[in-house]
Amino acid sequence: MTKQELPKIYDFKSTEPRIYAMWEAGGFFKPHNDPNKPGFDPSIKPFVITIPPPNVTGELHIGHPMFVSIEDLMTRYHRMKGFSTLWVPGTDHAGIATQLMVERELLKTDEVTREELGREKFVARTWEWKHKYGSLITNQIRRLGASCDWDRERFTLDEGLSRAVREAFIRLYEKGLIYRGPRLINWSPGLKTAVSDLEVEYSEEQATLYYFKYMIAGSEEFIPVATIRPETILGDTAVAVHPEDERYKKFIGKKVIVPILGREIPVIADEYVSMDFGTGALKITPGHDANDYAIAHRHNLPIISVLDKAAKINENGGQYQGQDRFDCRKNIWADMKAAGLVIKTEPYTTTIPRSQRGGEIVEPMISEQWFVQMESLAKAGLDAVRDGSIKIVPERFEKVYFNWLDNIKDWCISRQLWWGHRIPVWYCPDNHMTVSREDPTQCAACGSKEIRQDEDVLDTWFSSGLWPFSTLGWPEQTPDLKYFYPTTYMETGYDILFFWVARMIMMGIEFTGKAPFNTVYLHGLVRDEIGRKISKTTGNVIDPLVLMDEFGTDALRFTMLVGSTPGNDTNVGPKKVESNRNFANKIWNAGRFVINAIDGLDTGKHTQADNGTRKAQHATWSLADSWIWAKLQTLIRDVERQIQSFQYGQAGQQIYEFIWSDFADWYVEIAKEQMKNEETREQTVVTLVRVFDTCLRLLHPFTPFVTEEVWGHLRNAILESPIADIAKDWPDALIIARFPEPREPEGWEESKLADFTLIQELVRSIRNLRAEKNIAPSKKLAANISAGDKVDLLKQQSAMIAALAGLDSSLLVIQQSLTEKPEDSAAIVVGSVEIYIPLAGTVDLANDKPRLEKELKEAQSHIERLEKLLSSDFANKAPAALVAKEREKLEGYKDTAQKLKTQLK
RNA sequence: GGGCGCUUAGCUCAGUUGGUUAGAGCACUUCGUUUACACCGAAGGGGUCGGGGGUUCGAGUCCCUCAGCGCCCACCA
């Protein structure tokens, strides 16, 4: 492939699908060491991630690129490191979300509700939906470049995982950790199902506090009580006061009359009641309030439910029966007012419990549900993190995790939904329970054939909690499970630490005896360009598909990775993605340049030195060759260290800067010069190739598409060139190439770095002068250089300096010291080096003085600072090397200052 | 009521064993279409690192404290 055939602009649109198809068809996403295949070697270390399964009916949102970018980076990095790498993909049945979606669709197309359709048909319908649209999200995940082993794709409701769910339920049940019973739970009236504590969100809202009278039976006296939910008065079974409260002590043990209903209920004493809050008296509604429920238990109070499943007042609500909870609130208050029981109302800010899904107000209600007893599970989960079996990144989330598990409550796992894993419990007419791994045909206790299965399904998170091992075949001891479990990293958002991560840990330990992963990496949430939470109502939704269409997948991925740090939220907007699109294009064009350089090599003229021989030829390298190679070694070390410590953003940033600033802006420009010379040409191309190849390898986990594409072209170009040996052990695709390792010892050729930095400074100063003096870039300048002890270096590098700074080589004089100061020249001073640019006639040199004075002033301020520093305790207490470095700097500035002073005389 | 995070250039953010002129992208100014790239290049301008105190030879980085913003957890009617 020659330059003409490669377009100037990287065409990600046609490249990405082609590259992905190539990877997938090539089997590159599969672990190279597969326990199901002959030749399996158990001693090879696996690296495993199970994907946080997206909702099967979901569509790509901006959160997906975040986790895919990170997990794919982790996966690709380890694959390139030689691990037998497996990223298990899959989807979640997402009970409520999916059911709602299908219900909505059903209503629209068929105008029937799910109840009208019936359970069996509805579930069938949902499966249809899943088959039809389930691949939408996985294809979108593919588009992000995810290198998952799609042959191992799983679904939480598929046969194997359903078996796992049933096994897990039964084991917990047999252990006595699962129980069923009426408890106060959070009820979602719209969805008509119980939800767990975690699914309730509390929002601060303006509400009204209603003050009213609880009349003492047979008396004109009353106890004032306040409530936010007057309709719950219907379910009151006591009024509680503090035992020490002088105001109400006399009423303890007496009866009060429930407004409107006229029931008599006791006045009780309980220390829970705070005397200095509200009226100091508390109405007790055990059926609809968690605290009241607890108090009722202490005092053996009856429990009255007044709401039905739709949150309408039930038969216990007397005349209000059938009213909606909020209508009842108004009506009962009006009636109480009429009865003279009302004291006052006042505005009040309080926390309102709302359903995480849909946002409706959730009601605490008594209901028959299934629970998992969490205490022992939580303890094991705590220990695993405490003893270091599991590490959480960033560490601060460990505290959050501990805090939650330390205060854990039993988990309500039953949901009154149809889409999900049905609870594997059957009842006979005598209400014997049969709990079974296989669907039973008769009651285990009485043999009755008339058994019916529990109507409820399990909380979606119950099956997700098994994900790291259920996807690998558990409860079967499959080869996959034996080799790939426990998995390595669990990467997900901090927002589901409790929902998912904690439960996977607890269930993993419970069922497999092992922590399901050794590291939890938590990423932050994606916010919009100015840091607002993304929501449909704000209208700031960012569609990743649009971003990919416009800027390419690599650009989006790089944006996600760079500038974000573990556990912190990230702002994303099109501008960032655009600048990273430019980066992809930069890589493309750097590639074009290198390929072009290879194509320029003349087969006849070049010896076929092999790679090893070239490696030994450092002595023949130019300063620039050594410099870029030395910087590359540092880069490799830094990137390795950063990836190991999960600083992916930093790693990406460093590679970016190396490619753009060091390689493209400096080395490539120098290479253009070096390639003009037959003697340095081949070596230059070899350096270009080796450095650029390393860059592509380093970058591949970040921006897989463009690196793979360019690398392919590069490889082809090399293989057809006289330096083909360089690529002779390269694999077919970059995705399976080895990740770079340092090739030289630390600190290799450090002196070259300093030498090159001096050249850079000189070149910059000359360019600066040109800019300041408004000298046309095309104008070649003459220069006299007094180089002092750098004379040999500058003489050797004169061609390079001339080329980079736009000097005329034939008018470039470099001497140790000039015999006399050139007239009519602008002077530049860098340390001991003085450069004179004759500018007579072109510019007015009279006004050159301020420039030099400014520089002198600057140098002097440095001298002052450094002298102060070096005369302080710093000189005695700081590491010697550091002190020496500062001394050297001081000498440099002194040189500069002194020379500038002479200039100014 | 507890806990956590953030506060660094006009904007959005990096800056992990404390090391001495604090970085990037975008935006801005000037110049430039030199055969990798104008999705580019060159040269610039711009920051008392939220305030105060402390530890240290040395603090954006560690400790204390205050302030503002945000998040999580929590049973006060």
Side-chain angles (χ1 to χ4, degrees):
Chain A
M1 179 88 52
T2 59
K3 187 193 122 205
Q4 281 77 18
E5 294 169 62
L6 295 178
K8 278 186 165 188
I9 305 269
Y10 167 56
D11 177 17
F12 57 82
K13 265 189 185 150
S14 70
T15 304
E16 288 171 4
R18 175 168 44 78
I19 292 284
Y20 196 87
M22 181 274 282
W23 286 330
E24 203 172 354
F28 296 126
F29 298 160
K30 307 190 148 306
H32 66 73
N33 186 43
D34 190 325
N36 306 291
K37 288 181 181 156
F40 168 68
D41 177 356
S43 71
I44 293 173
K45 261 187 108 175
F47 174 85
V48 188
I49 295 181
T50 47
I51 203 170
N55 291 1
V56 69
T57 54
E59 275 194 63
L60 207 66
H61 61 69
I62 198 69
H64 293 114
M66 187 58 151
F67 87 72
V68 170
S69 301
I70 299 171
E71 288 168 33
D72 199 41
L73 162 65
M74 292 167 161
T75 302
R76 286 176 188 267
Y77 166 80
H78 284 92
R79 186 183 292 121
M80 291 176 83
K81 279 273 170 183
F83 288 83
S84 181
T85 302
L86 173 63
W87 184 9
V88 184
T91 47
D92 194 292
H93 67 281
I96 294 177
T98 304
Q99 178 164 322
L100 280 177
M101 181 171 282
V102 176
E103 268 184 90
R104 225 177 294 135
E105 175 68 17
L106 202 59
L107 211 56
K108 222 192 318 178
T109 58
D110 299 25
E111 291 179 10
V112 284
T113 63
R114 101 180 128 98
E115 286 83 0
E116 285 163 353
L117 193 65
R119 182 167 191 154
E120 206 172 311
K121 280 186 180 159
F122 179 81
V123 170
R125 180 80 178 232
T126 310
W127 271 107
E128 262 174 52
W129 182 284
K130 188 261 168 192
H131 292 310
K132 203 164 164 191
Y133 299 113
S135 58
L136 189 71
I137 185 70
T138 50
N139 283 331
Q140 288 171 334
I141 298 283
R142 278 181 174 88
R143 199 175 154 196
L144 286 165
S147 59
C148 304
D149 182 355
W150 294 102
D151 289 344
R152 283 179 165 89
E153 182 182 347
R154 304 306 297 266
F155 174 51
T156 48
L157 267 181
D158 70 23
E159 209 190 318
L161 269 62
S162 297
R163 201 158 46 238
V165 165
R166 199 172 269 201
E167 178 71 23
F169 182 95
I170 285 159
R171 283 205 201 171
L172 289 175
Y173 182 82
E174 285 173 349
K175 227 177 156 179
L177 292 178
I178 281 185
Y179 63 92
R180 181 177 190 247
R183 293 286 186 286
L184 193 76
I185 47 86
N186 303 295
W187 184 263
S188 170
L191 302 167
K192 294 197 181 62
T193 179
V195 293
S196 76
D197 295 342
L198 281 177
E199 289 163 279
V200 179
E201 285 173 349
Y202 293 85
S203 64
E204 281 237 320
E205 287 173 34
Q206 251 339 298
T208 306
L209 193 54
Y210 300 82
Y211 289 83
F212 66 97
K213 300 173 184 173
Y214 246 111
M215 303 306 296
I216 308 295
S219 151
E220 288 305 302
E221 286 187 289
F222 64 87
I223 300 175
V225 174
T227 182
I228 288 169
R229 298 182 293 160
E231 71 277 15
T232 63
I233 290 168
L234 300 171
D236 284 354
T237 55
V239 168
V241 298
H242 193 278
E244 304 299 322
D245 196 322
E246 293 303 332
R247 293 169 294 179
Y248 307 128
K249 237 177 174 172
K250 57 185 171 183
F251 299 130
I252 296 168
K254 295 200 164 151
K255 301 280 187 192
V256 287
I257 298 163
V258 175
I260 313 300
L261 296 184
R263 281 193 283 113
E264 288 195 359
I265 57 173
V267 177
I268 59 167
D270 196 291
E271 304 214 331
Y272 169 79
V273 184
S274 29
M275 287 187 275
D276 48 7
F277 188 84
T279 64
L282 182 60
K283 67 190 246 348
I284 303 299
T285 319
H288 298 285
D289 183 280
N291 295 314
D292 295 2
Y293 185 74
I295 291 171
H297 266 274
R298 285 203 284 276
H299 296 270
N300 265 322
L301 297 171
I303 296 168
I304 301 174
S305 287
V306 296
L307 296 174
D308 67 12
K309 288 178 178 179
K312 287 192 170 135
I313 305 301
N314 67 11
E315 67 282 3
N316 295 324
Q319 65 197 77
Y320 303 101
Q321 182 172 357
Q323 291 185 12
D324 175 80
R325 50 184 162 163
F326 301 118
D327 294 336
C328 172
R329 181 176 298 178
K330 279 182 216 137
N331 295 337
I332 192 172
W333 191 248
D335 294 343
M336 284 165 66
K337 195 166 192 176
L341 296 171
V342 163
I343 301 172
K344 61 173 177 177
T345 62
E346 61 183 33
Y348 188 71
T349 307
T350 188
T351 49
I352 305 285
R354 288 184 178 276
S355 160
Q356 194 187 42
R357 188 165 302 279
E360 62 168 341
I361 296 178
V362 162
E363 290 291 338
M365 280 198 212
I366 303 291
S367 171
E368 185 95 357
Q369 302 289 343
W370 289 92
F371 296 86
V372 178
Q373 203 176 300
M374 296 305 287
E375 212 183 317
S376 62
L377 295 172
K379 196 191 165 304
L382 281 165
D383 289 344
V385 175
R386 284 211 178 102
D387 69 18
S389 317
I390 297 174
K391 181 182 153 187
I392 299 181
V393 180
E395 212 173 342
R396 69 183 133 91
F397 283 102
E398 291 189 355
K399 204 168 168 181
V400 181
Y401 172 87
F402 291 146
N403 187 43
W404 188 68
L405 285 185
D406 274 331
N407 300 297
I408 197 151
K409 284 184 228 145
D410 286 356
W411 175 15
C412 174
I413 49 168
S414 44
R415 295 289 179 277
Q416 288 63 54
L417 303 173
W418 288 350
W419 179 240
H421 300 276
R422 205 155 161 185
I423 288 174
V425 177
W426 287 259
Y427 308 93
C428 70
D430 292 332
N431 256 329
H432 300 130
M433 272 203 274
T434 305
V435 181
S436 171
R437 285 175 175 82
E438 305 300 328
D439 286 9
T441 53
Q442 57 177 46
C443 174
C446 65
S448 164
K449 305 264 187 199
E450 285 177 58
I451 51 169
R452 56 179 174 83
Q453 187 170 6
D454 196 295
E455 296 291 322
D456 293 351
V457 300
L458 288 163
D459 181 3
T460 302
W461 297 103
F462 189 92
S463 53
S464 331
L466 313 173
W467 188 250
F469 43 99
S470 64
T471 51
L472 294 172
W474 188 87
E476 303 297 323
Q477 285 298 311
T478 60
D480 269 8
L481 187 70
K482 277 186 219 156
Y483 180 56
F484 293 119
Y485 188 85
T487 66
T488 319
Y489 291 169
M490 171 45 60
E491 197 286 332
T492 190
Y494 66 72
D495 54 326
I496 51 173
L497 178 61
F498 307 142
F499 277 108
W500 195 40
V501 178
R503 281 157 180 175
M504 279 188 290
I505 294 174
M506 292 187 279
M507 291 169 107
I509 297 170
E510 174 67 22
F511 298 123
T512 70
K514 291 174 195 160
F517 27 74
N518 66 44
T519 302
V520 175
Y521 176 99
L522 298 170
H523 63 249
L525 272 36
V526 180
R527 296 169 171 278
D528 76 1
E529 206 155 15
I530 50 173
R532 292 176 305 179
K533 201 169 177 174
I534 288 171
S535 79
K536 279 179 187 160
T537 47
T538 316
N540 60 346
V541 173
I542 305 169
D543 186 346
L545 295 167
V546 170
L547 288 175
M548 283 192 277
D549 282 342
E550 208 165 337
F551 304 118
T553 301
D554 287 329
L556 180 60
R557 289 175 52 130
F558 205 67
T559 304
M560 291 292 165
L561 293 167
V562 172
S564 75
T565 40
N568 289 338
D569 294 353
T570 318
N571 298 359
V572 169
K575 278 196 169 165
K576 284 187 186 177
V577 187
E578 184 181 5
S579 73
N580 288 321
R581 185 262 330 247
N582 295 350
F583 179 49
N585 194 53
K586 190 76 183 179
I587 296 159
W588 173 255
N589 275 293
R592 286 211 307 150
F593 177 80
V594 176
I595 289 162
N596 202 24
I598 296 164
D599 287 349
L601 287 176
D602 185 339
T603 317
K605 283 188 181 162
H606 296 273
T607 51
Q608 288 262 358
D610 69 24
N611 217 353
T613 315
R614 278 200 195 89
K615 220 182 135 186
Q617 281 178 340
H618 287 153
T620 68
W621 284 18
S622 76
L623 175 64
D625 292 343
S626 301
W627 166 76
I628 196 72
W629 191 246
K631 284 219 108 176
L632 182 68
Q633 304 308 309
T634 310
L635 177 70
I636 295 168
R637 288 199 168 83
D638 286 349
V639 167
E640 182 66 24
R641 187 171 44 78
Q642 280 153 351
I643 291 181
Q644 289 296 338
S645 55
F646 304 97
Q647 300 170 251
Y648 302 120
Q650 272 303 105
Q653 189 63 41
Q654 287 225 47
I655 304 168
Y656 179 101
E657 277 163 23
F658 178 86
I659 292 177
W660 207 308
S661 309
D662 294 325
F663 184 69
D665 289 346
W666 283 94
Y667 187 74
V668 164
E669 292 309 313
I670 292 164
K672 286 175 184 171
E673 291 308 310
Q674 294 187 358
M675 286 191 299
K676 286 177 185 163
N677 184 339
E678 274 307 316
E679 281 170 38
T680 52
R681 187 155 162 199
E682 184 181 299
Q683 183 55 57
T684 301
V685 175
V686 168
T687 304
L688 280 170
V689 165
R690 292 172 71 189
V691 173
F692 190 60
D693 163 55
T694 306
C695 287
L696 292 177
R697 289 172 195 244
L698 288 171
L699 205 51
H700 184 257
F702 295 82
T703 57
F705 290 107
V706 67
T707 49
E708 180 73 78
E709 176 70 357
V710 172
W711 196 80
H713 290 306
L714 179 72
R715 180 168 171 270
N716 290 341
I718 296 169
L719 290 174
E720 290 165 13
S721 80
I723 54 169
D725 56 284
I726 288 184
K728 71 172 185 282
D729 53 356
W730 290 8
D732 293 339
L734 178 58
I735 184 174
I736 50 162
R738 292 311 293 260
F739 200 75
E741 275 167 29
R743 297 283 166 168
E744 315 292 349
E746 222 164 329
W748 180 82
E749 297 280 61
E750 212 161 293
S751 61
K752 307 279 185 178
L753 292 175
D755 285 351
F756 193 84
T757 304
L758 176 69
I759 309 281
Q760 284 182 307
E761 280 175 36
L762 294 178
V763 169
R764 269 198 203 105
S765 319
I766 298 168
R767 286 171 174 172
N768 187 349
L769 183 83
R770 303 184 73 113
E772 261 183 47
K773 302 293 177 196
N774 241 321
I775 298 164
S778 52
K779 166 100 176 152
K780 298 278 179 209
L781 298 173
N784 280 302
I785 299 181
S786 162
D789 58 350
K790 305 290 183 198
V791 65
D792 290 339
L793 172 67
L794 298 196
K795 275 186 174 168
Q796 275 166 26
Q797 305 302 328
S798 63
M800 182 170 87
I801 295 167
L804 294 174
L807 304 178
D808 184 339
S809 311
S810 63
L811 298 174
L812 174 58
V813 179
I814 300 170
Q815 292 174 289
Q816 185 161 27
S817 61
L818 297 177
T819 42
E820 60 184 279
K821 183 181 158 184
E823 291 296 316
D824 296 329
S825 291
I828 295 166
V829 180
V830 178
S832 59
V833 179
E834 287 169 285
I835 305 172
Y836 295 92
I837 311 278
L839 292 173
T842 47
V843 266
D844 176 16
L845 281 164
N847 64 11
D848 211 28
K849 229 175 169 180
R851 180 178 60 90
L852 295 171
E853 272 165 355
K854 194 184 141 213
E855 274 170 30
L856 176 61
K857 211 172 148 194
E858 210 172 289
Q860 277 169 335
S861 87
H862 281 296
I863 292 168
E864 205 176 311
R865 181 180 56 83
L866 286 166
E867 275 180 339
K868 210 165 136 195
L869 176 69
L870 288 162
S871 63
S872 72
D873 256 5
F874 173 78
N876 311 321
K877 299 199 177 174
L882 200 66
V883 178
K885 215 171 103 191
E886 296 305 315
R887 278 231 160 83
E888 217 172 292
K889 274 194 212 163
L890 176 61
E891 292 312 310
Y893 285 120
K894 276 184 170 167
D895 255 338
T896 306
Q898 207 227 324
K899 298 225 150 71
L900 282 167
K901 273 182 202 161
T902 325
Q903 295 293 339
L904 284 161
K905 260 179 203 159

